[in-house]
């Protein structure tokens, strides 16, 4: 069989533990036999990040800005235990955090939906993609425990010497401790870039956009988010019309009620705290971490695809001891198909897109046919499901792929 030529390189970011083992197998069994592809390889395993003083993470992010498409394996974010385990020079920051800030990107989490793995919410038939604004608000706030009577004021002191603006937040009286207070902020630049990434993603995926705040209560802060999204919607009106999609603004309460009755298929853009909470709700509602994909998109349309889960350490320990594992490889396979399909779209090579679609179909057919890793057994409606190990699942996908091509 002749391989399909992929015109432009894809940046490959390798990772750690169980996902690294699965990663190599995906490449060898499902990608390289079919695609003639230049992978610009960066080893983001924790040891190699340590050896390069984390240089490799920066390089991989800049390579993504250059080539436009990356696929990333899950990586260890070191904590104290990991520093000891690997004898690291220091507690390197989260690679995802580094890549996100270099790319100025927004993370979109999208579940893979299957007919025999129903969502917890009956109405949900199509994936709901969540976008969380990952900057500012309570995540960068300042808080004070007010432990005696006194007054709290909020002051903005302009750098140009014009008079300060002060508001009294509250005057506390009574016994100690008498309460709490906080101040938070966001920037137009960050909100705009979030909005741009959301519209870029939704137009690319041809899905409607929802955005929501509590602007009835927060008439300046939340209203700013509403207004900047509305501005971006105006700028993108023509592109949205040609993609056949709409933008809807809701009060957050209304959106939460609506989403329970809605079949899904939309992008749900959320402020930082809302996205933190609702992304976990949506992920749990769709079933398994092994079925949740994640893509980082920047405002200029550069994409980095990955699985939403971590390196599955517990399974890796079993694998190291030579014991059987049944780790779900679906989200990692979909990271590859997402990147390959995007590459094909950007390059204008429909045969590359078609290959990615065939691989996704092979995965879906395998599971809908009743063969799945054991994390899905408790969720499936299949009458006689077959729970298999990590490798037998991938063999089944490979066999199905051979039929699809
Ligand atoms: P995790 O790797 O997501 O795994 C947590 C548990 O969820 C697993 O033990 C397993 O449960 C289940 N699970 C997750 N993915 C699965 C899959 N594909 N198939 C089957 N079961 C799956 O989270 P963690 O154990 O908290 O973190 C491990 C490492 O990953 C940490 O070092 C962390 O820093 C890193 N991490 C990386 C990323 C990333 O790179 N994007 C994200 C999160 C965490 P059972 O054991 O019950 O089967
Ligand atoms: Mg959360």
């Amino acid at each position: 069989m002749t391989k399909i030529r992929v015109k432009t390189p894809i940046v490959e970011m390798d990772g750690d533990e169980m996902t690294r083992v699965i990663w190599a197998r995906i490449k060898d069994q499902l990608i390289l036999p079919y695609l003639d592809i230049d992978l610009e390889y960066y080893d983001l395993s924790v040891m190699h990040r340590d050896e390069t003083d984390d240089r490799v993470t920066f390089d991989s992010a800049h390579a993504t800005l250059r080539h436009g498409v990356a696929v990333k394996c899950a990586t260890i974010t070191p904590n104290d235990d990991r520093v000891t385990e690997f004898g690291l020079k220091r507690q390197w920051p989260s690679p995802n955090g580094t890549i996100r800030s270099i790319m100025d990107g927004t993370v979109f989490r999208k579940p893979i939906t299957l007919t025999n793995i129903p969502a917890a919410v009956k109405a949900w038939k199509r994936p709901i993609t969540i976008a969380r604004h990952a900057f500012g608000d309570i995540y960068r706030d300042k808080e004070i425990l007010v432990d005696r009577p006194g007054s709290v004021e909020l002051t903005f002191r302009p750098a140009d010497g014009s008079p300060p603006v002060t508001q009294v937040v509250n005057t506390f009286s009574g016994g100690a401790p008498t309460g709490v207070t906080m101040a938070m902020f966001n920037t137009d630049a960050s909100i705009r870039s979030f909005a741009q990434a959301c519209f870029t993603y939704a137009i690319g995926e041809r899905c409607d956009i929802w955005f929501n705040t509590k602007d009835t209560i927060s008439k300046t802060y939340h209203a700013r988010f509403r207004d900047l999204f509305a501005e971006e919607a105006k700028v993108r009106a023509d592109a949205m019309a040609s993609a056949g999609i709409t933008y809807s603004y809701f009060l957050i309460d209304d959106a939460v009620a609506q989403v329970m009755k809605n079949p899904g298929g939309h992008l749900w853009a959320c402020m930082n705290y809302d996205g933190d909470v609702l992304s976990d709700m949506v992920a749990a509602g769709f079933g398994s971490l092994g079925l949740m994909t994640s893509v980082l998109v920047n405002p200029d349309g550069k994409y980095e695809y990955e699985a939403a889960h971590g390196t599955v350490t517990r399974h890796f320990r079993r694998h190291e001891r030579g014991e059987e594992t049944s780790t779900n490889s679906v989200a990692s396979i979909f990271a590859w198909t997402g990147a390959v399909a995007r590459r094909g779209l950007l390059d204008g090579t429909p045969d590359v897109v078609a290959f990615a679609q065939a691989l996704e179909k092979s995965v879906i057919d395998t599971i809908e046919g009743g063969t799945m890793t054991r994390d899905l057994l408790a969720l499936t409606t299949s009458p006689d499901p077959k729970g298999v190990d990590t490798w037998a699942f991938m063999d089944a996908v490979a066999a199905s792929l051979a039929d699809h091509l």
Side-chain angles (χ1 to χ4, degrees):
M1 204 188 84
T2 55
K3 293 189 190 183
I4 302 163
R5 174 70 195 152
V6 181
K7 243 163 77 183
T8 314
I10 289 180
V11 175
E12 178 192 0
M13 306 170 177
D14 208 346
D16 290 299
E17 299 191 314
M18 198 63 202
T19 40
R20 185 182 179 96
V21 181
I22 288 173
W23 198 254
R25 177 75 167 253
I26 294 173
K27 244 168 75 173
D28 291 347
Q29 194 170 19
L30 302 174
I31 303 292
L32 296 183
Y34 303 99
L35 297 184
D36 173 15
I37 183 172
D38 299 322
L39 295 168
E40 193 167 310
Y41 180 84
Y42 293 86
D43 181 2
L44 264 56
S45 66
V46 70
M47 289 306 292
H48 193 240
R49 276 178 275 146
D50 196 54
E51 279 160 31
T52 61
D53 293 335
D54 212 21
R55 189 74 247 157
V56 65
T57 308
F58 288 77
D59 291 347
S60 71
H62 286 291
T64 307
L65 290 177
R66 248 187 346 266
H67 294 300
V69 182
V71 58
K72 179 180 172 291
C73 179
T75 46
I76 290 170
T77 297
N79 55 15
D80 290 338
D81 291 346
R82 296 297 203 165
V83 171
T84 313
E85 178 184 350
F86 295 99
L88 303 179
K89 291 181 214 163
R90 46 169 290 217
Q91 198 169 311
W92 302 106
S94 151
N96 285 26
T98 302
I99 295 164
R100 192 159 59 221
S101 71
I102 292 173
M103 287 179 61
D104 181 26
T106 297
V107 174
F108 298 84
R109 289 177 110 198
K110 181 182 180 185
I112 297 152
T113 49
L114 297 150
T115 53
N116 59 340
I117 314 281
V121 176
K122 257 192 269 156
W124 292 356
K125 300 297 176 214
R126 287 180 287 139
I128 297 169
T129 304
I130 288 255
R132 169 184 171 189
H133 181 218
F135 176 80
D137 303 352
I138 61 165
Y139 304 85
R140 294 282 291 270
D141 71 350
K142 297 287 178 236
E143 308 190 348
I144 298 173
L145 178 69
V146 177
D147 61 355
R148 69 202 84 170
S151 68
V152 175
E153 293 175 353
L154 186 63
T155 300
F156 165 52
R157 217 175 298 285
D160 65 5
S162 49
V165 183
T166 294
Q167 290 195 31
V168 175
V169 177
N170 191 35
T171 302
F172 289 86
S173 51
T178 58
V180 284
T181 187
M182 68 167 202
M184 62 185 198
F185 74 98
N186 224 299
T187 65
D188 278 12
S190 176
I191 300 165
R192 278 216 170 87
S193 139
F194 174 57
Q196 284 162 1
C198 289
F199 283 90
T200 298
Y201 177 93
I203 291 163
E205 296 282 315
R206 296 171 184 273
C207 61
D208 291 340
I209 310 182
W210 294 16
F211 182 58
N212 29 245
T213 71
K214 189 75 176 179
D215 61 328
T216 47
I217 299 297
S218 175
K219 292 186 195 302
T220 304
Y221 197 112
H222 282 218
R224 189 77 187 149
F225 282 78
R226 176 200 62 207
D227 294 347
L228 293 181
F229 261 76
E231 276 179 21
E232 189 60 25
K234 223 183 222 168
V235 172
R236 304 289 187 110
D238 289 346
M240 281 199 291
S242 26
I245 65 169
T246 59
Y247 169 69
S248 309
Y249 177 79
F250 298 88
L251 194 61
I252 180 83
D253 319 41
D254 188 19
V256 167
Q258 290 301 325
V259 84
M260 292 299 170
K261 307 184 263 187
N262 188 283
H266 59 285
L267 168 66
W268 193 3
C270 291
M271 288 178 67
N272 208 346
Y273 176 80
D274 298 337
D276 185 350
V277 175
L278 294 171
S279 63
D280 288 322
M281 186 201 73
V282 169
F286 276 107
S288 168
L289 259 179
L291 295 178
M292 184 61 76
T293 63
S294 177
V295 54
L296 177 70
V297 181
N298 89 349
D300 316 327
K302 317 279 186 193
Y303 294 78
E304 182 241 305
Y305 291 84
E306 64 177 322
H309 59 76
T311 61
V312 211
T313 311
R314 264 202 298 271
H315 295 206
F316 184 59
R317 297 285 177 249
R318 260 176 253 148
H319 173 75
E320 281 180 312
R321 290 193 296 266
E323 294 165 19
E324 196 194 70
T325 56
S326 184
T327 311
N328 193 332
S329 52
V330 171
S332 297
I333 297 173
F334 272 63
W336 278 95
T337 55
V340 168
R342 177 63 53 190
R343 185 75 280 166
L345 275 175
L346 294 176
D347 290 349
T349 47
D351 51 341
V352 173
V353 179
F355 168 77
Q357 287 166 344
L359 178 48
E360 291 187 356
K361 181 133 186 22
S362 310
V363 171
I364 290 168
D365 286 356
T366 301
I367 300 175
E368 290 183 346
T371 300
M372 60 195 77
T373 45
R374 288 196 263 278
D375 54 311
L376 300 182
L377 288 179
L379 304 171
T380 184
T381 51
S382 289
D384 194 14
K386 194 170 150 215
V388 295
D389 72 20
T390 310
W391 316 118
F393 177 76
M394 297 179 77
D395 289 343
V397 171
S400 170
L401 178 61
D403 290 342
H404 277 300
L405 290 174

